[in-house]
Structure formats: C-alpha cells, structure tokens
Amino acid sequence: MAEGFEFPVDRTQVMLFARSVLDGRPEFTDPHDPATIALGGMVTPPTFVQCSAHYQPDYALDLTRPRKGAAPAHRGDAPGGGGGGLGRGLHAEQHYEYHHPIRVGDTLTVTNRPGERWEKEGRRGGKLLFSESITEYRNQDGVLCVTARSVGVQTEKAVEQ
Amino acid sequence: MTLKVGDKHEAVVIEKVSRTHTTKYAGASGDYNPLHHDDGVAQGLAGYPSIFAHGMLSMGLTGRMLTDWLGPVALRKFGVRFTRQVWPGDTLTSKGEVISVGEYNGEPVATIKVWTENQNGEAVVEGEAVALNA
C-alpha cells in the first residue's frame, strides 16, 4: 500500500465519530459555533483517523462491504482496526503523534507500512505474536498530520478474562 | 491553562456500556469486527463470555477526557496499551496526571500519565499523552 489511499474528511463522518465516543464538543460537531469559528473551522477528535478504515480498500474487518471478488484475508497488522480480528487476534497498543491539525474538508492520503514483529511467552503459556503497523496521514498540501502506530497480538490460547 | 506536575483530571466517560454503544462505534469507525456486536461469534467462534467493546472505543473515550481537559488541538502525542477488556454493563472513568513538563519539538509541553478504569478500579487502558502547555 505504498502509494496509499484517499480519505476525505467529511463533516458528517466527524459528527458521527464524535457521537460514537459520546463527544458533543462544538469544534468537532458544529461549524457555526463561536468556538469552532475561533479555531478557523472544525477539527477532529484525537482518534478520528480510525475512520479511514471506511476508505481502506483491503480493510478486513468489514466482511459485508460490497466488493469485487473475495473479501481480503485478515492480517494481524491491518492498519485501520489495529491488530483486532476474528478469533484470537487483539489490538494490544495504539499510539498517535499529532503533527498538524486535521480539518473538515481535508483530503488525506493514507499510507501504511509494517513495523517490527516480535514474540513473547503468555502469562498462561502459549506464544503471543506481536506485529506493528505504521500509518501516516497527509493532507492535500502534503503536510504530515498524524503518524499512527498500531500493535496487534495473536494468541495461541484464549485471552484470560 | 498552564499545567504543572501533579495536576490531575478525571471524568466518567461512559456509563453501562451497551451493545448500542459498540454498534454505534462500529458504524462510525468502520470496524465491524463481530466480536464487538455479535454474541454468537464472540461466544461460539472465539470463546468469550459475550461481546466486548472495541479497544479503540475505550481509547476514543479516554481521548475525550483529554480534549475536555486540555482543548481540542493541544495533543501532540497520545498512546495506550489495552490492558483489560470492556464488557457490556461496565462504567469507565478516565484519569490523567501531569508527570513532567518540558519541551517537545520546540514547544512547551506537559507529559501526562493517562489511564481508564472500570467500575472495579481495574485499568482497561494505560498510556501517556504529551500536550501543548501554554
């Protein structure tokens, strides 16, 4: 995915995402609020870039999306949903670095590359397989807005409750 | 607002997590992993007692505590580990405490220990944030 995919930052998507994390803050939901106007327009919540999953062509955690051909196989390092997956895959860590605000109306280009992979022995035995994924979000001016690092883990045994 | 070491903030970020919450997050984020809305899959395929919330829902709620505290464009870094699953019925409280102040990329910043607990006081996410401190 070196050339990346396009992720338009749409007002409705930002509002829906803000609501899903129970956030009614005007800067994320209301372009006409004085607080939003003072900021120069709507901005996005800290974890909003997860919504790029909707535009990721090979996103594996949306099995009912209409596609040409078969749904992609799940990868432990899928960028949109971290390491989560069907069965024994879980999202272990998520890290963001914010370089420049993302604004409603931006068109981001999303590029992803695999990072490190490592193994650990689980507390109840069984191997834990960690894999890292680095995703960069650049706006229409080529400015890097967010770098995201996701760590997924695949377990051999069911996760302890 | 200028932060100093030891400054704290906390907020209840969600009460009684429901399948409606996780479904809403799935639709908004695009993460339709059935482990977060389909009990049949969570129990049958994966062996969990029920569905559980997306880790990213907990992180998103934790992020809301941070932006409510620090403003919508103050964050420079935000990272967490997911330490425990969040089940239907859980109530989460997000907490932050400034552990150092200094400079990052030429800006004054505060480094904040961040975590979110369930109703039993168990951490579900643990991490750190760096925020503009001016």
Side-chain angles (χ1 to χ4, degrees):
Chain A
M1 221 198 299
E3 73 286 0
F5 61 91
E6 215 173 71
F7 170 32
V9 180
D10 161 82
R11 172 179 165 189
T12 302
Q13 188 65 40
V14 177
M15 179 269 278
L16 291 173
F17 185 80
R19 286 185 180 174
S20 79
V21 293
L22 312 180
D23 198 330
R25 204 183 169 96
E27 296 94 328
F28 303 145
T29 54
D30 182 359
H32 308 296
D33 190 277
T36 311
I37 292 166
L39 264 186
M42 280 175 66
V43 290
T44 59
T47 63
F48 170 75
V49 291
Q50 294 307 111
C51 293
S52 62
H54 287 292
Y55 286 93
Q56 184 186 327
D58 60 349
Y59 187 64
L61 294 176
D62 183 1
L63 298 173
T64 58
R65 181 186 301 182
R67 297 177 196 273
K68 289 177 185 159
H74 174 69
R75 286 167 50 208
D77 59 351
L86 300 177
R88 296 281 154 78
L90 290 172
H91 196 178
E93 297 179 33
Q94 182 69 34
H95 303 268
Y96 298 105
E97 182 151 10
Y98 306 100
H99 311 284
H100 185 81
I102 294 173
R103 293 190 173 272
V104 166
D106 281 353
T107 298
L108 303 177
T109 298
V110 184
T111 55
N112 172 257
R113 62 179 191 273
E116 304 285 309
R117 302 180 81 89
W118 65 97
E119 280 185 20
K120 229 168 90 174
E121 205 60 33
R123 276 178 291 181
R124 293 194 314 181
K127 258 181 213 144
L128 303 175
L129 309 170
F130 291 87
S131 59
E132 199 178 53
S133 165
I134 317 290
T135 308
E136 293 182 336
Y137 300 82
R138 283 187 170 73
N139 70 16
Q140 58 285 350
D141 301 319
V143 175
L144 179 61
C145 295
V146 174
T147 306
R149 181 167 66 87
S150 172
V151 179
V153 59
Q154 299 286 325
T155 61
E156 286 182 335
K157 295 186 175 181
V159 171
E160 50 208 275
Q161 308 306 326
Chain B
M1 171 175 54
T2 306
L3 297 165
K4 55 188 192 304
V5 172
D7 282 356
K8 291 177 188 174
H9 184 78
E10 68 173 69
V12 174
V13 290
I14 193 167
E15 291 182 66
K16 295 188 178 153
V17 171
S18 70
R19 286 162 179 79
T20 305
H21 288 124
T22 61
T23 305
K24 196 169 186 178
Y25 185 79
S29 68
D31 181 347
Y32 293 99
N33 188 333
L35 289 178
H36 306 305
H37 62 262
D38 187 331
D39 280 306
V41 171
Q43 293 163 351
L45 183 73
Y48 293 105
S50 72
I51 65 110
F52 54 95
H54 306 72
M56 286 310 301
L57 173 56
S58 301
M59 187 178 190
L61 294 164
T62 306
R64 196 185 92 225
M65 178 278 288
L66 289 170
T67 49
D68 282 349
W69 181 20
L70 307 165
V73 292
L75 286 181
R76 297 296 178 265
K77 286 179 162 188
F78 176 31
V80 302
R81 288 185 303 120
F82 301 101
T83 53
R84 187 174 289 271
Q85 278 146 322
V86 172
W87 304 101
D90 282 359
T91 289
L92 303 182
T93 303
S94 293
K95 302 186 179 188
E97 179 174 353
V98 177
I99 54 173
S100 69
V101 294
E103 269 202 12
Y104 182 70
N105 288 341
E107 291 182 314
V109 294
T111 299
I112 299 162
K113 181 185 170 195
V114 177
W115 70 103
T116 293
E117 295 175 357
N118 64 20
Q119 64 283 0
N120 303 317
E122 300 163 323
V124 300
V125 304
E126 292 178 337
E128 212 170 82
V130 173
L132 182 67
N133 189 23

